[in-house]
Amino acid sequence: MAEAQDTPGIHGTAAPGWEPVRMAFARNLTRLGERGAAVAVYRDGRKVVDLWAGARDVDGDAPWQSGTAQVVRSATKGVAAAVPLLLHQRGELDLDGPVGAYWPEFKAAGKERTTVRDLLAHRAGVPVLSEPLTPARALDLEAGAEALAAQTPVWEPGTEHGYHAHTYSWLLAGLVQRVTGRPLGRWVAEEIAGPLGLDLWLGLPEGEAPRVGRIGELPEPGAAAGGLVLRPKREVAEAYADPQSLTRRAFGVIAPAPDENTPAYRAAGLPGSGGIATARALARFYASLQGRVDGHRLFDPATLELARGQASAGPDRVLVVNTRFGLGYMLHGPAAPLLAPGSFGHPGRGGSLAFADPESGVAFGYVTNGMRKGVTADPRAQALVRAVRQVTG
């Protein structure tokens, strides 16, 4: 692979032919205000891009290193969703069975017929809680699960869909704990991250803390050159502005909002937002969903189609735009521009992005410490995706 050192400030490697990705990555730093980031790409199970640059901390000057990891927010959902799908693949979980068959307390307040499939496809009807959780209760996965078990759905489960921005954490954690007897983060460590050698954690071990940078907000980029910035429709802007809207309530189920840089947050490993990973780990993870990586493959062909087959589509009760979901994964579309129509993965609010595209054999991971508000499709991630598309045709 070609060294990236000929581009000042860029470290790592890019295989011959993948120079457009390195060039886009450099432009993110010089034109789009990137503070620190990494990008990795696998193709057909082989790593072809592995680049990093900038500062490790959004508010500091220490350099980003090869093994620097960051909180990736909702990009965590794609990792967590693999757990119930793998349990189904192993015959331990029925996707069409009721959640209450595994989690008896969940059979309450109109959720008796909610299926595991509904839960994974954001059709469970519980994107909000009647009362927000304090940060301390939210970081206790069992306390969050208990709150969800008692919650009355805001629509009949299975009839509509809406992004379960935060409640996804406790839904998946509660289900997996009861099916396997293990916390979801431990299951990921033992069954996914360990065998694949991934620097990826849902629950950061204390000894890994020095590797993790600080994330924080960056100014909105506006109409940054080369960026895809979708100005919200009036109804979307109104939904985010109205404290009583389903949108605001879904994103405000933890009050006050927790500090994502604290040891407590990093250790909790919220399955919907608290994962910590390198770009290299995310790309390798998605490569293993669609094919073999050093002898390891996670999804068989049938499970792969479950992940990326459309399970929900149309107006999203929470995001107030049209969205598309497979079982646990966002699918390519205006709300989540990925590489191609067959791509599946998950963005993290404000920055990070990871996905697979089985048709091209591409698996992609991008991690940043600079989070941006008001961006539907982050210009930095989209610049990198366009560069990958340029290479793959």
Side-chain angles (χ1 to χ4, degrees):
M1 297 178 76
E3 291 292 332
Q5 296 291 348
D6 55 332
T7 305
I10 307 295
H11 304 274
T13 55
W18 289 85
E19 291 84 357
V21 179
R22 183 180 64 217
M23 294 171 62
F25 190 59
R27 285 194 297 271
N28 283 354
L29 289 156
T30 59
R31 300 183 186 179
L32 298 186
E34 186 78 271
R35 279 287 297 152
V39 61
V41 181
Y42 274 69
R43 191 171 197 189
D44 297 329
R46 183 175 66 91
K47 185 171 62 178
V48 293
V49 174
D50 186 7
L51 303 172
W52 62 92
R56 187 192 74 166
D57 302 317
V58 70
D59 53 0
D61 297 315
W64 191 297
Q65 304 290 342
S66 172
T68 296
Q70 302 285 359
V71 173
V72 297
R73 291 186 169 173
S74 283
T76 310
K77 289 183 172 74
V79 177
V83 179
L85 288 177
L86 287 169
L87 292 173
H88 170 73
Q89 181 174 292
R90 298 177 183 185
E92 299 175 34
L93 182 64
D94 180 3
L95 297 178
D96 293 310
V99 174
Y102 306 97
W103 182 359
E105 296 84 359
F106 195 81
K107 293 188 295 184
K111 302 191 300 301
E112 294 82 358
R113 296 183 180 180
T114 307
T115 67
V116 175
R117 191 181 296 268
D118 292 333
L119 188 155
L120 289 172
H122 295 269
R123 303 179 71 85
V126 285
V128 299
L129 291 171
S130 299
E131 294 292 335
L133 298 178
T134 65
R137 287 198 70 207
L139 299 185
D140 179 341
L141 293 177
E142 189 55 33
E146 290 173 359
L148 260 297
Q151 180 66 38
T152 300
V154 295
W155 66 79
E156 182 182 347
T159 62
E160 299 181 79
H161 83 281
Y163 185 50
H164 289 51
H166 287 297
T167 58
Y168 210 72
S169 284
W170 308 303
L171 289 171
L172 261 63
L175 177 65
V176 170
Q177 175 72 48
R178 285 154 181 81
V179 172
T180 68
R182 285 185 276 177
L184 190 149
R186 186 192 305 169
W187 204 98
V188 168
E190 294 173 353
E191 305 286 347
I192 296 176
L196 282 164
L198 304 181
D199 291 328
L200 183 158
W201 304 276
L202 274 70
L204 185 71
E206 186 175 343
E208 301 291 350
R211 301 179 52 186
V212 183
R214 292 177 56 84
I215 65 172
E217 300 293 341
L218 289 180
E220 295 184 17
L228 174 60
V229 181
L230 304 182
R231 300 193 180 281
K233 298 178 181 179
R234 184 182 67 182
E235 57 268 29
V236 176
E238 290 175 349
Y240 277 95
D242 180 4
Q244 300 305 314
S245 72
L246 205 58
T247 307
R248 279 284 296 275
R249 290 168 59 208
F251 283 100
V253 297
I254 309 175
D259 182 348
E260 297 159 294
N261 292 311
T262 63
Y265 187 89
R266 293 173 175 182
L270 293 174
S273 62
I276 294 171
T278 64
R280 187 183 306 125
L282 288 176
R284 186 174 173 87
F285 164 75
Y286 274 96
S288 73
L289 296 186
Q290 65 183 351
R292 291 200 171 274
V293 179
D294 297 332
H296 295 279
R297 176 171 182 162
L298 292 178
F299 286 173
D300 64 23
T303 304
L304 177 61
E305 292 311 308
L306 287 172
R308 69 177 187 143
Q310 183 172 287
S312 296
D316 188 301
R317 288 286 306 273
V318 171
L319 296 180
V320 201
V321 295
N322 288 343
T323 56
R324 299 177 64 232
F325 289 95
L327 294 187
Y329 296 90
M330 294 194 85
L331 307 182
H332 176 73
L338 304 178
L339 186 64
S343 303
F344 70 101
H346 220 290
R349 184 173 174 82
S352 300
L353 175 66
F355 64 82
D357 183 64
E359 278 66 38
S360 67
V362 163
F364 174 94
Y366 164 70
V367 171
T368 178
N369 58 25
M371 305 300 163
R372 286 222 160 101
K373 295 180 179 179
V375 179
T376 300
D378 190 277
R380 298 161 297 170
Q382 287 303 303
L384 297 168
V385 172
R386 286 197 300 275
V388 172
R389 191 178 296 123
Q390 177 184 339
V391 174
T392 62

